[in-house]
Amino acid sequence: MNLPLSRSANNVTNFMGTAFLLALLGGFLSDAYFTSYYIYLMSAGIEFLGLIILTYQARSPYLKPKPCNKSKTTICEEIHGGKAAMLFIGLYLVAFGIGGIKGSLPTLGAEQFDEDDPKGRKQRSTFFNYFVFCLSCGGLIAVTLVLWVEDNVGWQWGFGISTIAILLSIIIFSLGSCFYRCKVPKGSPLTTMFKVLLASTINVSKTESQQSHTMTNPTQSPYPLLPTYTEEQEQPNDNGPETLNLSQTHGFLNRAVKNKPAFKSLKCTVQEVEDVKVMLQILPIFACTIILNCCLAQLSTFSVQQAATMNTNIGPFKVPPASLPVFPIIFMMIMAPLYDHIIIPLARKWAKSETGISHLQRVGLGLCFSILAMVVAGLVEIKRKKVANDNGPGPGPLPITFLWIAFQYLFLGSADLFVLAGLMEFSFTQAPVKMRSLATSFSWASLAMGYYLSGVIVSFVNGVTGRGNAHHPWLS
């Protein structure tokens, strides 16, 4: 569409960020009004519609800007007006569908296992590992078959393959409808959270005697605190008995119950207050992964551009730079079953616990891998620029193989596997039952924040380094 590199990179990260952020909406609707089953079907249908629009635009020369020979000095005409509107409508319909699917499908899968049974909990852990494995399988097809078709046959055929794939997924998913267990929606989790937060702020204080009459054994906490969290302490599969005691964690929220309601609609139960406390305790864990996902955003933008300047031949084969993500994808596909069938059983024997490696330890290990990945990425870029300076400008690629970049991809692939699967299972097991889809969606919201942050960093660096007529933005 003749857009400049930095704006294209930001468009990619904005699209991905929106898709992952909309997972919160999918999770919210699954918990509040629909089941995860119906949200998946509606979201897949919306993505199918968006892909049809993109396929039609890629096929029609009248819906694209005029062809442009970028080797000449002529200024290429960027897409604008109605053509640009059609492009972004198609893209963001796809983003809307992706968000709904990611906000509903992991929870629906996890709900199929009996968490009151140790065997069911182990099977659920295996499900999350293989959920990430299947995402990698789809990614492998995307960066090999679909990418080759787009580069050698045409974009419309690449979009066409994706359109057929989502249609087949709807059909296959629907065939299993009679076997699924679906959680009944328990009302809006966001409404509960806002009600408790507002009530704790404006409810009128009671007298001391009224408070003592309302509370019984206030120091007992019905939920484990995150610093002393253990995997075996999970929420029951149904609503279970109503919590009667207020914990002292986030004590300011206790005013929602202890104080007299300012309005009748702000009357809260102890269970609602404790549910909101658990959600607030989970949020910082997700915030810790935003920077990792900012690093992942670079894999689909500037790392590809790095590879485009390097020698991408492997023997007689010339590899498209955009196929670089095949390295972390293949590594994740190898690691997921290896982790589930070898590492975890060994860890269970060593630690003598049901989970072996806790979800939080898994997330922490992934964050360590992300640090190593960015150290490697910096060293590789130093080497690439040195080769470029030594050889000067030329028409061909630099005399350095693009496989150097594969190292950072391998580390980031490992980080993504450990963090994403660990985060989804952690949120599912710790969140209140009626808020599970929303809590699981926070894993994708963290990805969204990382992609948006990447766009902000790119714009900031280009803005600072491009000041003055004599300066060129570093990332342009």
Side-chain angles (χ1 to χ4, degrees):
M1 298 298 180
N2 297 337
L3 295 173
L5 171 61
S6 58
R7 198 184 312 166
S8 296
N10 280 351
N11 281 334
V12 170
T13 52
N14 289 342
F15 164 77
M16 297 297 289
T18 302
F20 291 128
L21 192 62
L22 284 169
L24 287 175
L25 178 62
F28 165 73
L29 293 175
S30 297
D31 284 332
Y33 304 109
F34 306 94
T35 62
S36 300
Y37 172 84
Y38 287 115
I39 290 298
Y40 171 83
L41 287 178
M42 288 188 286
S43 301
I46 292 171
E47 184 174 348
F48 177 66
L49 177 61
L51 284 168
I52 289 176
I53 293 174
L54 291 175
T55 304
Y56 182 71
Q57 183 171 27
R59 185 176 182 274
S60 173
Y62 303 104
L63 297 175
K64 294 181 287 188
K66 295 177 182 179
C68 174
N69 187 350
K70 295 188 177 182
S71 62
K72 296 183 179 179
T73 57
T74 56
I75 298 176
C76 297
E77 178 192 357
E78 296 179 15
I79 191 172
H80 63 279
K83 297 176 182 178
M86 185 172 181
L87 170 68
F88 286 103
I89 287 172
L91 280 174
Y92 282 93
L93 280 174
V94 173
F96 199 98
I98 290 172
I101 290 172
K102 292 188 181 301
S104 59
L105 199 56
T107 308
L108 178 64
E111 287 169 352
Q112 307 310 306
F113 304 98
D114 183 7
E115 62 183 325
D116 295 326
D117 178 18
K119 182 180 178 181
R121 291 194 291 270
K122 291 178 182 178
Q123 290 173 335
R124 184 187 61 201
S125 182
T126 296
F127 162 76
F128 280 112
N129 286 331
Y130 277 95
F131 181 81
V132 176
F133 175 83
C134 291
L135 289 177
S136 301
C137 290
L140 181 63
I141 296 171
V143 299
T144 52
L145 172 64
V146 177
L147 190 70
W148 184 90
V149 169
E150 288 172 345
D151 279 352
N152 295 278
V153 183
W155 279 94
Q156 67 272 25
W157 294 102
F159 283 129
I161 292 173
S162 301
T163 306
I164 294 170
I166 192 68
L167 178 61
L168 288 175
S169 78
I170 295 172
I171 295 171
I172 295 170
F173 180 85
S174 300
L175 291 176
S177 298
C178 60
F179 301 105
Y180 301 142
R181 295 196 307 180
C182 297
K183 181 193 70 178
V184 178
K186 301 294 183 182
S188 170
L190 290 182
T191 301
T192 301
M193 294 181 71
F194 285 131
K195 182 176 77 169
V196 170
L197 292 171
L198 186 61
S200 64
T201 304
I202 68 174
N203 278 1
V204 181
S205 178
K206 293 182 180 179
T207 64
E208 186 175 340
S209 60
Q210 287 175 311
Q211 289 183 19
S212 61
H213 178 73
T214 302
M215 293 186 62
T216 305
N217 192 15
T219 58
Q220 182 179 348
S221 174
Y223 292 99
L225 304 184
L226 291 183
T228 58
Y229 155 80
T230 61
E231 303 295 338
E232 287 75 12
Q233 293 171 303
E234 299 180 357
Q235 305 301 327
N237 195 34
D238 50 26
N239 283 340
E242 190 79 7
T243 300
L244 300 177
N245 301 314
L246 286 169
S247 67
Q248 292 305 300
T249 309
H250 303 303
F252 69 96
L253 293 177
N254 291 345
R255 294 197 296 265
V257 172
K258 293 161 61 177
N259 295 357
K260 181 180 179 181
F263 303 98
K264 188 176 181 180
S265 59
L266 293 182
K267 185 177 181 180
C268 301
T269 66
V270 174
Q271 183 70 54
E272 289 174 334
V273 172
E274 293 301 317
D275 286 350
V276 172
K277 287 181 180 181
V278 173
M279 293 296 286
L280 290 179
Q281 287 174 290
I282 290 175
L283 285 176
I285 307 299
F286 295 101
C288 291
T289 64
I290 291 175
I291 296 297
L292 160 67
N293 294 315
C294 181
C295 301
L296 289 173
Q298 302 303 315
L299 292 183
S300 55
T301 54
F302 287 110
S303 290
V304 174
Q305 293 299 323
Q306 277 180 297
T309 68
M310 303 164 78
N311 182 3
T312 60
N313 291 325
I314 299 181
F317 300 104
K318 184 174 179 62
V319 180
S323 289
L324 266 178
V326 74
F327 293 110
I329 287 172
I330 291 176
F331 190 70
M332 287 171 69
M333 292 176 67
I334 295 171
M335 278 296 297
L338 185 69
Y339 176 85
D340 194 70
H341 298 292
I342 296 178
I343 297 176
I344 284 297
L346 290 175
R348 284 170 179 155
K349 290 181 180 179
W350 179 75
K352 292 182 174 57
S353 68
E354 184 180 299
T355 57
I357 300 175
S358 75
H359 308 321
L360 291 184
Q361 288 170 339
R362 188 171 179 178
V363 172
L365 185 60
L367 294 178
C368 291
F369 277 126
S370 72
I371 295 171
L372 292 174
M374 299 318 293
V375 170
V376 171
L379 294 174
V380 170
E381 177 61 0
I382 290 172
K383 180 177 179 64
R384 189 192 70 86
K385 290 184 70 174
K386 184 177 185 303
V387 172
N389 289 330
D390 291 344
N391 287 270
L398 297 174
I400 177 175
T401 178
F402 80 120
L403 293 177
W404 281 100
I405 295 180
F407 290 112
Q408 67 206 52
Y409 274 75
L410 293 179
F411 281 116
L412 273 177
S414 303
D416 194 24
L417 171 65
F418 281 99
V419 171
L420 183 58
L423 209 54
M424 285 195 296
E425 189 171 2
F426 170 78
S427 60
F428 185 88
T429 57
Q430 286 298 289
V433 176
K434 66 180 181 181
M435 299 183 181
R436 278 180 168 173
S437 294
L438 180 65
T440 306
S441 301
F442 284 141
S443 307
W444 307 111
S446 170
L447 273 165
M449 295 296 103
Y451 276 98
Y452 286 137
L453 180 60
S454 173
V456 169
I457 292 173
V458 170
S459 299
F460 176 78
V461 170
N462 277 342
V464 171
T465 58
R467 291 177 179 173
N469 296 329
H471 298 283
H472 296 285
W474 285 355
L475 301 178
S476 66

